[in-house]
Amino acid sequence: MTDCAECGFAYDLALAPEVSQLAIGHAGEYADLLRAEPSALGRRSAPQVWSPLEYACHMRDVLLAQRERVLAARRLDTPVAEPIGRDERVEHDGYAEQRPADVARQLQDAALLFANVLDRLSAGDWARTLVYTYPEHQERSLRWIAVHTLHELRHHLLDIRRQLG
């Protein structure tokens, strides 16, 4: 994956060891944003654009999924990172009906859990790989997984801030 034209994120794999602390910090930013007026948190700017609350739920689930992927890559040789069903989860998990305070707490806990597994990686572990299936099947290192997760966190913060003004 290359740099993100929309949010300006640069995929610098040298950032990987810093991602754990950055993820915790960004989770705090999400928690702060989830204190906005509940009606604003639940409003979609367009039918195909998630609401701020839905984006926050998505990030909580991404952090949990990425944690499991890192753990799988530590115990298995090149496992496949199965898709999490991101679009289906919005309805199946009732993202729009969740309480913002609960989501804020869960997202911060998910960031702590994700950070913990990153902090436990040895120098050699960062090179372990898994097959990432989006946008195409490609073998990716845990270093890339960490940086990609940081991109997701930053990109969706931008998405939320755009909607909240």
Side-chain angles (χ1 to χ4, degrees), residues 23-147:
I24 291 167
H26 288 322
E29 293 178 66
Y30 278 88
D32 290 343
L33 291 170
L34 287 168
R35 289 187 187 99
E37 172 62 37
S39 63
L41 291 172
R43 189 177 319 120
R44 286 182 169 202
S45 61
Q48 72 281 6
V49 176
W50 292 343
S51 71
L53 179 58
E54 290 167 329
Y55 275 119
C57 289
H58 168 68
M59 269 320 308
R60 173 202 56 210
D61 291 352
V62 164
L63 287 165
L64 293 171
Q66 296 296 68
R67 173 184 184 260
E68 291 305 315
R69 290 169 174 170
V70 170
L71 290 169
R74 288 196 68 193
R75 72 179 183 276
L76 303 169
D77 290 330
T78 319
V80 175
E82 295 297 333
I84 66 169
R86 58 172 279 177
D87 293 319
E88 296 84 0
R89 282 175 183 253
V90 176
E91 180 185 336
H92 294 173
D93 196 27
Y95 282 2
E97 289 84 39
Q98 295 186 27
R99 292 182 38 207
D102 292 342
V103 175
R105 185 187 68 255
Q106 294 161 359
L107 202 153
Q108 289 179 295
D109 287 344
L112 288 169
L113 290 165
F114 178 65
N116 179 61
V117 298
L118 293 184
D119 287 343
R120 299 180 61 76
L121 295 176
S122 69
D125 289 334
W126 284 106
R128 292 194 61 82
T129 60
L130 52 78
V131 175
Y132 215 76
T133 59
Y134 181 84
E136 70 267 343
H137 281 67
Q138 188 167 359
E139 197 169 311
R140 300 288 193 175
S141 70
L142 293 186
R143 188 173 291 280
W144 183 89
I145 294 296
V147 172

